[in-house]
Amino acid sequence: MQRAQIIVVKLGTSVLTGGTDKLDKAHMVELVRQCCELKKQGHQVVLVSSGAVAAGREQLVTPCGRSLIDKQMLAAIGQGQLIHTWQSLFALYGVSVGQMLLTRADVEDRMRYLNARDTLNALLSYGVVPIINENDAVATAEIKVGDNDNLSALVAILANANKLLLLTDQEGLFTSDPRSDVNATLINEVAHIDDKLRQLAGGSGTNLGTGGMATKLQAADIACRAGVEVIIAKGAGENVILKCMAESLPGTRFLKLTPPRDGRKKWLLAGPKSSGQIVIDDGAIIALQKQGASLLAKGVQQVTGRFVRGDLIELVSPAGNSIARGLVRFDYTEVVKIKGCHSREIAAVLDFDTGAEVIHRDDMILL
Ligand code: GLU
């Protein structure tokens, strides 16, 4: 038997409705059976379930539009129906479920992140299947994760999961768009997500930008860095979850990377949204990547975004490649003043001295 694992299964609306405008309960029961089979084998399962908006639309007598407020209303109507359906299907196997509705605000703040993590772990320790969705009814643009692919990566980090299965209506990531290119082939394994792959999934034109591959790749990127193996596979058909686990289903598998040991650094991957960008010079890039150094003012070339002390900032190379992210120790106006300065000049420029590190190593994660 395989070692007991924590498996996050993300089910997109297309999987739950089978491409129709209703929840496909026959398929849902089939997915539940497989989750319960995994539990019988000793694994723990977390579901990230979309489908609230689709369930709401199914129930609403007077058809409504597709604006944000319409979708929020539909989610408010449909979420109850969705969780009720899951609850009654898992009950057939004597398994309880627990609902958690999250927004980015719940993981951005470190205390709220820890609270969500503790609740999730408590559910798992009691053998309950957590069923998670974005709290769409209240998630406005500023606080929403926006898509359940990225949400599932955050959940995988919260749950300290071993695997994340992103089940969708496509077999995985292809070398080009299989709908228009007969030579397109499925990419079976990805060891490292690079800009070329990102372009393939999210650029415009002859690629897989539609069907949500871009957000799946973002999710895979975050989860892999946190030490989670990620599989994108087609969620229709029999035994998809069990086949995914046995690696007998065609799909794209993303190898996990070595995760940071420090829990706080994992939160940096999962939680805060970036409030700005700092372009750093080549010397600083080498110091960060090769010498485990902090970012000093001297290495700062350019500053964008109106961040304040304590915000999360992206560090990028002059060519725009992401190098690291971390919590900044100065407001943006101060970073603008001290950029390029030698450490000993900072106190004079700012009239106060809080040290030369713009981002301390302990508050930074390399990408
Ligand atoms: N939270 C949305 C829903 O329940 C789905 C979002 C997504 O699938 O990315 O309908």
Side-chain angles (χ1 to χ4, degrees):
M1 192 182 108
Q2 279 177 306
R3 202 167 47 83
Q5 297 187 19
I6 299 177
I7 302 142
V8 176
V9 183
K10 187 262 168 178
L11 300 162
T13 301
S14 60
V15 175
L16 296 177
T17 60
T20 68
D21 52 8
K22 284 189 170 64
L23 291 180
D24 179 353
K25 298 205 179 89
H27 192 47
M28 285 170 80
V29 78
E30 164 67 9
L31 295 166
V32 167
R33 179 186 62 73
Q34 296 172 59
C35 292
C36 294
E37 178 59 35
L38 289 182
K39 278 177 66 60
K40 246 201 250 163
Q41 293 171 10
H43 302 302
Q44 289 172 317
V45 180
V46 180
L47 286 192
V48 175
S49 171
S50 303
V53 172
R57 222 177 266 286
E58 186 183 336
Q59 280 184 73
L60 192 65
V61 183
T62 322
C64 72
R66 297 191 174 267
S67 69
L68 178 63
I69 190 68
D70 286 330
K71 283 193 186 151
Q72 290 190 294
M73 175 186 71
L74 290 172
I77 299 167
Q79 182 61 35
Q81 163 77 19
L82 182 66
I83 199 70
H84 172 72
T85 306
W86 284 125
Q87 197 165 31
S88 49
L89 297 180
F90 273 98
L92 297 172
Y93 294 87
V95 172
S96 302
V97 302
Q99 168 177 271
M100 286 179 71
L101 299 178
L102 300 173
T103 63
R104 184 172 287 283
D106 296 306
V107 287
E108 220 160 40
D109 176 82
R110 176 105 175 116
M111 280 313 293
R112 288 173 74 173
Y113 169 88
L114 293 175
N115 286 340
R117 188 193 68 180
D118 290 349
T119 307
L120 192 55
N121 286 334
L123 290 169
L124 290 175
S125 71
Y126 277 84
V128 175
V129 173
I131 301 189
I132 298 171
N133 196 357
E134 179 132 41
N135 195 354
D136 291 314
V138 299
T140 50
E142 304 79 54
I143 62 158
K144 73 177 172 191
V145 177
D147 64 87
N148 278 7
D149 296 320
N150 276 291
L151 180 68
S152 67
L154 307 188
V155 168
I157 296 177
L158 281 174
N160 207 10
N162 305 86
K163 273 201 176 75
L164 167 60
L165 313 183
L166 295 171
L167 298 184
T168 181
D169 56 359
Q170 297 182 41
E171 276 188 346
L173 189 60
F174 284 80
T175 51
S176 56
D177 190 340
R179 290 163 299 191
S180 54
D181 182 358
V182 285
N183 295 321
T185 49
L186 182 66
I187 301 171
N188 294 310
E189 195 173 280
V190 175
H192 174 69
I193 297 172
D194 56 17
D195 286 342
K196 221 172 113 203
L197 209 61
R198 278 189 202 103
Q199 224 171 12
L200 192 67
S204 55
T206 59
N207 54 44
L208 299 178
T210 55
M213 274 303 153
T215 51
K216 284 179 184 57
L217 210 61
Q218 287 163 7
D221 202 4
I222 297 171
C224 289
R225 288 177 196 285
V228 184
E229 183 185 303
V230 179
I231 299 171
I232 302 178
K234 197 167 182 150
E238 267 179 34
N239 286 323
V240 280
I241 297 177
L242 298 176
K243 284 184 190 161
C244 251
M245 289 296 289
E247 288 174 21
S248 63
L249 190 72
T252 305
R253 190 158 147 254
F254 297 80
L255 304 184
K256 63 180 182 191
L257 305 174
T258 312
R261 253 180 282 157
D262 180 0
R264 214 166 142 270
K265 291 206 176 187
K266 274 197 182 178
W267 165 70
L268 284 180
L269 272 177
K273 204 167 155 184
S274 151
S275 314
Q277 264 194 357
I278 294 181
V279 181
I280 59 175
D281 65 21
D282 293 339
I285 295 174
I286 293 171
L288 259 53
Q289 291 180 334
K290 304 263 189 292
Q291 293 146 20
S294 298
L295 173 68
L296 302 179
K298 190 149 183 23
V300 174
Q301 277 191 342
Q302 226 179 300
V303 185
T304 42
R306 307 201 151 224
F307 50 84
V308 294
R309 179 177 161 83
D311 278 355
L312 185 113
I313 298 300
E314 302 275 347
L315 300 183
V316 298
S317 70
N321 297 322
S322 289
I323 306 294
R325 52 191 345 228
L327 304 176
V328 69
R329 294 197 156 186
F330 296 95
D331 294 350
Y332 83 98
T333 45
E334 293 160 353
V335 183
V336 169
K337 281 188 200 155
I338 62 174
K339 72 174 193 237
C341 284
H342 196 281
S343 301
R344 60 173 178 269
E345 298 163 344
I346 291 176
V349 175
L350 291 181
D351 272 345
F352 59 84
D353 188 5
T354 49
E357 289 109 358
V358 174
I359 299 183
H360 193 275
R361 188 69 192 183
D362 292 347
D363 299 328
M364 183 194 299
I365 183 145
L366 289 185
L367 299 177

